[in-house]
Amino acid sequence: MAPRKKFQTIDEYIKKFPEDIQENLENMRKVVHKAAPEAKEVISYGIPTFKLYGNLVHFAAYKNYIGFYPTPSGIETFKEEISEYKNSKGAVQFPLDKPIPFDLVEKIVVFRVRENLMKKS
């Protein structure tokens, strides 16, 4: 099995996908920036990551879904809203055959910003 390509930037990561998936990834990125304009973009664990006083959120594309990783607290706090999607302790899967709930993503990111700012102070 070939090792996963190491990406230096989120742009490099997004460019490896077909156009329709690139569009979803760019929209995720825009939503995160809107909700967390101070967050820094990095690649962590080989996927797009946003940091603001520590890890804020991650996202990644897969064959059938976009994975969104807002930490266990982000999942727990919004468990009702994400219940229609496959999810686990720290992740939610948004299937590619349905619209991604970007308004919900934004709410979760805003929550995570508040949480990280409280931890910082």
Side-chain angles (χ1 to χ4, degrees):
M1 191 161 126
R4 284 203 314 193
K5 182 180 181 329
K6 299 277 188 228
F7 300 99
Q8 301 301 312
T9 66
I10 292 178
D11 286 324
E12 282 180 23
Y13 179 89
I14 290 173
K15 283 184 177 114
K16 84 171 193 170
F17 292 96
E19 268 186 45
D20 57 331
I21 294 174
Q22 284 183 32
E23 189 177 328
N24 278 322
L25 293 171
E26 281 294 352
N27 286 333
M28 286 290 281
R29 184 187 206 179
K30 284 178 189 159
V31 166
V32 175
H33 274 297
K34 180 180 174 201
E38 311 288 312
K40 301 278 183 265
E41 288 190 354
V42 298
I43 296 289
S44 186
Y45 306 106
I47 62 173
T49 300
F50 288 81
K51 290 185 174 256
L52 185 69
Y53 307 110
N55 281 338
L56 190 64
V57 297
H58 312 266
F59 61 83
Y62 299 93
K63 185 177 180 184
N64 298 311
Y65 65 93
I66 300 291
F68 180 58
Y69 310 94
T71 75
S73 64
I75 296 295
E76 180 61 27
T77 302
F78 293 90
K79 67 182 174 216
E80 259 186 55
E81 290 96 323
I82 65 167
S83 64
E84 69 181 272
Y85 304 100
K86 187 171 181 184
N87 65 82
S88 63
K89 182 177 162 190
V92 59
Q93 295 179 6
F94 299 121
L96 292 172
D97 61 354
K98 293 182 178 158
I100 293 175
F102 291 113
D103 53 337
L104 175 58
V105 170
E106 185 175 357
K107 280 173 40 179
I108 294 170
V109 175
V110 167
F111 166 80
R112 289 286 300 123
V113 167
R114 276 194 233 115
E115 190 172 51
N116 278 13
L117 288 173
M118 283 172 45
K119 277 187 213 164
K120 174 200 163 239
S121 51

